[in-house]
């Protein structure tokens, strides 16, 4: 699988505003934030899309959510609420092919996200 920009962030080849790291995951602020708090939680293992997940990744994906909850508490958005999103492929709006959980909050977020058409 070809390397993505997120692999370069994991390897510190390009800078990112990293807010959390452990053996399995890394979290950093989105470069184009869509909310006052917009953080991406990624596995260090390169998995291109949700479609590429296998049963062996179940613990890892669950871990991304516990990291998201930790980050929400640390950012002070846990109680008011926040949103997690993982986009898949073109119709899902995925632009970086290394799975990532968006953590968005800091204001009331619109729902549903569907914008028409
Ligand atoms: P998605 O469209 O779901 O694949 O989300 C990819 C996200 O990565 C977008 O919200 C981008 O703004 C974000 N992004 C792309 N490059 C970088 C970068 N170098 N540092 C931080 N966030 C990035």
């Amino acid at each position: 699988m070809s390397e993505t920009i997120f692999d370069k962030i994991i390897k510190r080849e390009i800078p990112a505003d990293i807010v959390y790291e452990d053996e399995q995951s890394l979290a950093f602020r989105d470069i184009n934030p869509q909310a006052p708090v917009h953080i991406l939680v990624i596995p260090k293992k390169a998995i291109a899309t949700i479609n590429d997940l296998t049963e062996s990744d179940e613990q890892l994906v669950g871990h991304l959510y516990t990291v998201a909850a930790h980050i929400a508490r640390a950012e002070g958005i846990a109680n008011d609420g926040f949103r997690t999103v993982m986009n898949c492929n073109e119709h899902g709006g995925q632009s970086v092919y290394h799975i990532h959980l968006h953590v968005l909050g800091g204001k009331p977020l619109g729902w549903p996200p569907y914008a028409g058409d």
Side-chain angles (χ1 to χ4, degrees):
M1 195 177 74
S2 58
E3 192 174 75
T4 70
I5 198 158
F6 290 173
D7 292 293
K8 294 185 195 300
I9 289 174
I10 292 165
K11 290 191 276 182
R12 293 346 194 237
E13 291 175 1
I14 62 166
D17 186 356
I18 294 169
V19 298
Y20 178 86
E21 180 171 23
D22 62 30
E23 278 188 9
Q24 298 183 91
S25 69
L26 188 70
F28 50 90
R29 295 190 193 281
D30 196 292
I31 204 168
N32 183 24
Q34 302 301 312
V37 175
H38 187 174
I39 291 168
L40 303 175
V41 184
I42 71 171
K44 290 184 173 175
K45 178 182 176 184
I47 302 168
T49 78
I50 294 173
N51 293 333
D52 300 299
L53 290 168
T54 67
E55 283 183 14
S56 67
D57 298 313
E58 287 176 359
Q59 182 279 332
L60 178 59
V61 173
H63 183 66
L64 301 182
Y65 279 89
T66 46
V67 171
H70 167 79
I71 286 169
R73 285 191 293 274
E75 294 287 323
I77 61 172
N79 286 342
D80 283 342
F82 60 98
R83 183 169 299 156
T84 56
V85 177
M86 189 180 287
N87 297 323
C88 183
N89 278 343
E90 187 182 350
H91 283 193
Q94 186 172 7
S95 60
V96 179
Y97 283 78
H98 180 129
I99 61 167
H100 47 281
L101 195 59
H102 294 259
V103 180
L104 298 139
K107 68 172 185 182
L109 301 169
W111 188 263
Y114 179 62
D117 299 333

